[in-house]
Amino acid sequence: MSQKRLKRQVLKKKLFAKNRLVILNEDTFEEIFSLKLTLMNVFVVATLGAVVIIFVTTYIIAFTPLREFIPGYSSSQLKREATELSLKSDSLAYALKKNEAYISSIQKVLTGELEFAQVNKDSIMAADITDPSTVTLEPSEEDLKLREEVANEENNNQKTKTK
């Protein structure tokens, strides 16, 4: 027989050899508990115990409020409040912007830079909004020059890589 086969048989005998676990009273040497075990049984029980502990811990972390104590997790109530506050701050910023535009136009009327007939709150709000049809999307001369430079650099880089 080969050495590997002998080693496997020896390992198999050690794993499945029955051993006895005995708990004795030290004073009277009375047997309190006795259990027949194999090394394989011990490995299986230890592995199953570890898996159960992992699953229980994962369940506790995932589905109970204890997860809020772990750094990086926040409560759902805190997330909800943060979203609401963000929306409120955005709407307040927009209202502030509209009011500042109105006040600046009133100041222009009071200083005489603008006539009163031209000041209307609706026209001020409409002036703040840009019409997308008036925006030109054509590239400028500077943009075209930059694109040419980048294309030239890429061509030069490709030529040096192929050499």
Side-chain angles (χ1 to χ4, degrees):
M1 285 191 206
S2 69
Q3 288 290 341
K4 284 187 174 183
R5 186 177 246 182
L6 288 175
K7 285 183 180 180
R8 284 184 189 162
Q9 286 180 352
V10 170
L11 182 62
K12 186 177 177 182
K13 284 182 182 178
K14 284 184 180 179
L15 284 175
F16 292 104
K18 292 193 177 190
N19 297 312
R20 190 169 186 189
L21 175 68
V22 179
I23 298 176
L24 298 173
N25 184 347
E26 193 170 312
D27 295 335
T28 63
F29 294 110
E30 179 185 352
E31 185 176 311
I32 297 174
F33 180 73
S34 174
L35 184 64
K36 289 184 181 179
L37 295 172
T38 63
L39 199 54
M40 182 59 87
N41 289 347
V42 173
F43 285 140
V44 169
V45 169
T47 303
L48 287 176
V51 168
V52 167
I53 288 173
I54 289 170
F55 279 124
V56 168
T57 304
T58 304
Y59 179 80
I60 288 172
I61 290 172
F63 300 110
T64 62
L66 283 176
R67 69 173 170 243
E68 295 173 12
F69 295 111
I70 297 173
Y73 283 100
S74 59
S75 67
S76 57
Q77 180 184 2
L78 183 64
K79 288 180 183 178
R80 193 177 321 110
E81 288 175 358
T83 305
E84 288 175 7
L85 289 175
S86 175
L87 291 173
K88 285 181 183 178
S89 67
D90 287 344
S91 62
L92 286 174
Y94 180 70
L96 180 65
K97 185 178 176 184
K98 287 191 330 186
N99 285 340
E100 285 177 351
Y102 181 72
I103 289 172
S104 68
S105 64
I106 295 292
Q107 286 176 343
K108 287 180 183 177
V109 168
L110 292 176
T111 58
E113 296 175 22
L114 199 64
E115 293 181 18
F116 178 72
Q118 293 177 342
V119 177
N120 184 358
K121 190 168 187 172
D122 294 332
S123 65
I124 293 170
M125 300 311 162
D128 193 32
I129 300 171
T130 58
D131 186 20
S133 62
T134 61
V135 177
T136 59
L137 299 176
E138 299 294 322
S140 65
E141 291 180 27
E142 297 163 347
D143 188 36
L144 291 173
K145 288 179 184 177
L146 178 65
R147 289 180 188 189
E148 285 180 25
E149 288 177 16
V150 170
N152 288 337
E153 286 180 13
E154 286 180 359
N155 288 337
N156 291 337
N157 287 339
Q158 288 177 355
K159 289 178 184 176
T160 56
K161 286 182 182 178
T162 57
K163 288 182 181 180

